[in-house]
């Protein structure tokens, strides 16, 4: 009994102590939405800080925040680039909903006035290898033909490059263009370029936020290896009807927005169209080159806990040579989203997404029309759970159903001689579940860790080739070359049958350790799986490249990426330095046998072999964040290589199984971006780019056969094009009479490639008919290009 009495007394003491401590530490939650005052547009990434507690949060993709604090009086500090800071005294005795509206800074010269506490919050966050650009910063960057451009802007960032002028897509940290996940309002975009890379498909007027993840990618993203380009469209003005647009040298744009229900709902419509074909017609040139696109978005707040959004994108490109050739391609995207707030700590987003990438070709000289589609239906359900200020969870599900229609050929005349044919359609499903945690372990140590499980199913199809030993590629010992295997026959499967399944666990981890108030060290690791493959033997994607799903003969690509970074703020945050080193290792990277033909190939497995790739490098980003002169300096040193060894000891593999440079290897990549605000009337912008020339192949000899000269090539990508560099400048005139009137205008004047550098897009070799000697011919896309555009809003 004495023991039981002692136990009871101890239990009662502990109970009272715990109860007292719990009561003394009673906590409540402040949550809400932060938007800008003029149009009611929600703001992404606003910092809500508590300087006295050394803690804070940032708003999510829909402007929502949640923070839990001890009972009592607190001072909230809200800061966001380009907006006036807000300081709010709060007496916290219960859970409260607190929405804020932020006012834009009247003077652009003072727009980056951020407190040290905000910068400390950013230094402490474990997220690394991420760059964010606003629409305003993108519009300040000089671009070809005066059109602000998302893709051209991210090419100025460290670790990002492309395959040259006029090339589609972009490359991140030595990865291929198909290894980038491009999202527009969460919908997948398969081709990000207009006019084969001269413009991107993203209308900057309709863009709210652009975020590029190069490493340490959160578990909610998957399906690609190299990067995630996450773009969110604006929601539209909830308070008043507005219009803005611009008239440029070869294209114009117009945006219309306004309220559906004052203060609760809004609409946005933005369109662009080019008119190059009109100038060609005036010059008696029957060639065509044009594009147009339309961005739409509707948003409505049903009540305090429910918001719905309907957004869409439609774009088309047309490129033709006389009446003999016409190429048409483009994206169609529709997305319905429902935001629901279960509680002040649990935010959810449900998305239903439809996407269709179309590409077509008409060749009158051959008498046929070609049409292809990639259609996908995507269901996403994501949750953000604010457990405590030190622990936040993201978790959810994602399911994508794919319908690949590689091509349908139709005769375009009765006497063409072409027989109608359709390549075999392919079907697949990609399911994923994920959980991601951001965990503050101590004052100086914050950890982000997560796990994604992905499951890919390749469904049945008509006419699947059967090969001996399941080997669609054979090695000819006599000629020492790889050749297409002869199928033993074909098998037909119902759509409900399964041809192949793949499962992958994809762990993610990022860690931030704060050295002091101004600097931190970060490290990250992520494993990712990619089940779709862009089959292209050109240096950059083209509309006729083939996307193929993993299946019986194609394994998914798998990546492991490691990164280590050092971050420091200088001179009270006026300057900042970001440095990172990275290493990437990729399995099952597709390579092509010599002489591979990819166009209209219904047995693509006969010309590809699995290999491996690796990339590693150093990135530096130095920013000037305040004052009249702002900008950044970016430098990347990197290597990007791949190899395909033989499948057994008797095979040499591709390139004799040796490592060779990928077409997107750039040893040195240096860029400078600067903007200068002279006064409230004139501003000036410039950027300079230098890149090591991309790898290529030059002939090392030639032989004469039957009167023909046949070039001889050595190992792959052992030569390089000349180094690439250019300088762009622009000036913006904002009339002072804009003040006090509804119609506001500005003029933008620019020069792309100011000193007329004729950068080589390619170098070919041919015989000079006069001298009989072989000579190199350089093909360049742009010399100096002047531009002028007129922008307006009211």
């Amino acid at each position: 009994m004495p023991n039981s009495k002692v136990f009871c007394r101890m239990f009662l003491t502990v109970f009272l102590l715990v109860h007292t401590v719990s009561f003394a530490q009673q906590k409540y939650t402040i949550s809400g939405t932060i938007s800008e005052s003029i149009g009611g547009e929600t703001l992404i990434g606003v910092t809500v800080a508590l300087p006295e507690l050394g803690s804070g949060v940032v708003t999510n993709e829909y402007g929502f925040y949640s923070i839990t604090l001890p009972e009592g009086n607190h001072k909230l500090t809200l800061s966001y680039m380009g907006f006036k800071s807000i300081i709010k005294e709060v007496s916290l005795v219960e859970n409260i909903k607190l929405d804020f509206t932020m006012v834009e800074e009247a003077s652009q010269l003072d727009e980056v006035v951020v407190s040290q506490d905000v910068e400390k919050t950013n230094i402490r966050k474990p997220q690394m290898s991420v760059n964010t650009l606003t629409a305003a910063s993108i519009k300040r960057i000089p671009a070809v033909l005066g059109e602000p451009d998302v893709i051209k802007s991210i090419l100025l960032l460290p670790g990002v490059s492309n395959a040259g002028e006029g090339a589609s897509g972009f490359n991140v940290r030595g990865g291929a263009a198909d290894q980038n996940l491009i999202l527009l309002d969460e919908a997948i975009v398969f081709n990000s370029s207009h006019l084969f890379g001269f413009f991107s498909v993203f209308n900057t007027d309709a863009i709210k936020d652009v975020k590029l993840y190069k490493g340490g990618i959160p578990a909610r993203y998957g399906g690609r290896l190299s990067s995630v380009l996450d773009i969110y469209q604006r929601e539209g003005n909830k308070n008043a009807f507005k219009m803005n647009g611009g008239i440029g040298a070869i294209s114009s744009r117009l945006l219309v927005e306004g309220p559906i229900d004052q203060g609760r709902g809004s609409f946005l419509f933005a369109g662009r169209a080019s008119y190059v074909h009109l100038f060609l017609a005036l010059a008696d040139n029957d060639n065509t080159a044009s594009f147009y696109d339309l961005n739409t978005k509707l948003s409505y707040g049903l009540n305090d806990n429910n918001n719905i959004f309907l957004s869409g994108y439609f774009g088309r490109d047309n490129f033709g040579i006389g009446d003999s050739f016409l190429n048409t391609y483009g994206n169609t995207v529709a997305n319905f989203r429902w935001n629901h707030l279960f509680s002040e700590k649990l935010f959810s987003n449900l998305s239903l997404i439809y996407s269709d990438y179309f590409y077509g070709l008409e060749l009158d000289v051959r008498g046929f029309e070609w049409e292809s589609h990639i259609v996908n239906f995507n269901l996403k359900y994501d949750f953000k759970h604010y457990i405590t200020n030190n622990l936040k969870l993201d978790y959810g599900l994602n399911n994508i159903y794919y319908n690949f229609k590689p091509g349908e050929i139709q005769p375009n005349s009765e006497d063409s001689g072409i027989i109608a044919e359709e390549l075999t359609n392919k079907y697949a499903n990609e399911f994923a579940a994920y959980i991601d945690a951001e965990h503050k372990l101590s004052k100086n140590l914050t950890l982000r860790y997560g796990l994604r499980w992905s499951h890919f199913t390749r469904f049945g199809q008509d006419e699947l080739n059967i090969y001996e030993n399941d080997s669609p590629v054979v090695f000819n010992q006599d000629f020492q070359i790889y050749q297409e295997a002869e199928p033993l026959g074909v098998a037909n499967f119902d759509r409900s049958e399964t041809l192949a399944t793949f499962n992958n666990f994809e762990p993610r981890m990022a860690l931030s350790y704060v050295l002091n108030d101004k600097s931190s060290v970060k490290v990250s690791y992520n494993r990712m799986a990619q089940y779709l493959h862009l089959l292209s033997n050109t240096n950059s994607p083209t509309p006729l490249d083939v996307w193929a799903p993993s299946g019986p003969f194609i394994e998914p690509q798998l990546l492991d990426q490691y990164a280590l970074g050092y971050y420091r703020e200088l001179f009270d945050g006026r300057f900042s330095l970001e440095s990172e080193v990275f290493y990437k290792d990729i399995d099952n990277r597709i390579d092509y046998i010599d002489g591979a033909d990819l166009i209209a190939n219904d047995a693509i497995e006969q010309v590809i072999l699995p290999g491996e790739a690796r990339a590693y490098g150093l990135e530096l980003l130095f920013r000037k964040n305040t004052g009249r002169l702002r900008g950044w300096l970016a430098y990347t040193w990197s290597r990007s290589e791949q190899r395909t060894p033989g499948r057994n000891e008797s095979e040499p593999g591709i390139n004799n199984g040796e490592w060779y440079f990928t077409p997107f290897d750039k040893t040195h990549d240096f860029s400078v971006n600067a903007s200068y605000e002279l006064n409230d009337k004139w501003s000036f912008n410039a950027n300079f780019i230098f890149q090591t020339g991309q790898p290529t192949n030059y002939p090392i000899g030639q032989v004469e056969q039957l009167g023909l000269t046949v070039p001889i090539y050595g190992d792959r990508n052992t030569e390089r094009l000349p180094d690439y560099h250019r300088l762009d400048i622009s000036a913006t005139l904002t009339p002072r009479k804009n003040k006090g009137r509804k119609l506001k205008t500005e003029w933008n004047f620019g020069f792309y490639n100011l000193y007329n550098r004729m950068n080589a897009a390619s170098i070919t070799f041919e015989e000079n008919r006069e001298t009989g000697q072989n000579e190199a011919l350089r093909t360049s896309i742009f010399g100096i290009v002047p531009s002028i555009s007129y922008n307006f809003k009211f």
Side-chain angles (χ1 to χ4, degrees), residues 310-431:
L310 180 62
S311 58
Y313 169 84
F314 179 82
R316 281 292 183 271
D317 277 73
N318 294 284
F319 176 75
I321 301 177
D323 296 327
S324 60
F325 174 91
L326 178 63
N327 182 206
T328 304
Y329 63 94
N331 301 277
T332 301
V333 165
N335 184 4
F336 173 79
R337 284 170 292 158
W338 169 43
N339 290 173
H340 177 64
L341 192 62
F342 285 96
S343 70
E344 65 277 356
K345 291 189 175 185
L346 183 57
F347 178 92
S348 71
N349 178 67
L350 175 67
S351 298
L352 303 174
I353 306 168
Y354 167 83
S355 174
D356 178 16
Y357 174 51
F358 162 83
Y359 45 104
L361 177 67
E362 183 174 348
L363 277 175
D364 275 352
V365 293
R366 299 296 296 272
F368 74 86
E369 297 177 0
W370 169 280
E371 182 176 313
S372 289
H373 291 265
I374 303 172
V375 179
N376 71 76
F377 301 90
N378 189 354
L379 170 64
K380 294 173 74 268
Y381 204 9
D382 302 302
F383 298 85
K384 192 171 188 68
H385 202 161
Y386 301 82
I387 305 296
T388 68
N389 287 348
N390 293 331
L391 180 61
K392 303 175 185 64
L393 296 180
D394 290 288
Y395 48 89
L397 305 171
N398 186 7
N399 192 82
I400 308 175
Y401 177 79
Y402 296 99
N403 183 358
F404 296 86
K405 302 178 180 180
E408 182 178 357
I409 300 175
Q410 295 285 347
N412 60 5
S413 63
E414 295 182 358
D415 56 351
S416 68
I418 297 295
I419 300 175
E421 182 181 359
E422 183 176 3
L423 301 183
T424 303
N425 291 349
K426 300 175 179 63
Y427 309 93
N429 192 81
E430 183 175 350
F431 173 82

Side-chain angles (χ1 to χ4, degrees), residues 206 426 504 603 687 704:
K426 300 175 179 63
N504 283 287
N687 51 251
E704 297 287 338

Side-chain angles (χ1 to χ4, degrees), residues 81-252:
M81 183 181 294
F83 288 78
K84 294 180 179 178
S85 296
I86 296 175
I87 299 176
K88 176 72 174 179
E89 296 277 355
V90 178
S91 179
L92 195 59
V93 294
E94 62 179 350
N95 294 337
I96 60 174
K97 186 175 188 295
L98 198 56
D99 296 334
F100 292 95
T101 57
M102 301 190 72
V103 178
E104 192 170 1
E105 289 280 3
S107 173
Q108 292 299 308
L109 298 180
D110 302 321
E111 71 174 357
V112 192
V113 182
V114 292
S115 70
Q116 293 182 5
D117 297 299
V118 175
E119 294 298 325
K120 289 177 187 175
T121 303
N122 293 332
I123 284 289
R124 293 176 183 273
K125 290 184 70 64
Q127 185 64 64
M128 64 183 300
S129 308
V130 176
N131 296 113
T132 301
L133 292 173
T134 64
S137 63
I138 293 171
K139 289 179 180 179
R140 287 197 294 265
I141 296 173
V144 62
L145 300 172
E147 180 78 20
D149 193 281
V150 170
I151 302 299
K152 294 294 189 296
S153 300
I154 66 173
L155 292 175
L156 297 172
L157 298 171
V160 187
S161 63
N162 69 355
E165 282 177 328
S168 300
F170 57 97
N171 308 112
V172 176
R173 290 185 168 177
D178 69 310
Q179 295 173 343
N180 303 312
L181 178 63
I182 302 173
L183 301 174
L184 179 63
D185 274 352
E186 302 179 6
I188 298 173
V189 175
F190 281 91
N191 190 320
S192 61
S193 299
H194 281 312
L195 297 182
F196 301 100
F198 293 141
F199 299 96
S200 76
V201 300
F202 307 111
N203 185 341
T204 310
D205 288 344
I207 298 303
K208 181 199 303 193
D209 185 76
V210 177
K211 189 170 291 185
L212 176 68
Y213 297 85
K214 299 178 293 186
I217 298 174
R220 69 179 180 273
Y221 298 110
R224 299 294 188 276
L225 301 187
S226 284
S227 75
V228 178
L229 181 61
D230 199 1
I231 301 174
Y232 278 87
Q233 295 187 118
R234 293 179 50 221
E235 296 162 12
N237 196 308
K238 294 183 176 66
N239 300 319
F241 179 83
K242 299 287 183 180
M243 293 180 64
N244 67 272
I247 302 172
I250 66 169
S251 67
S252 293

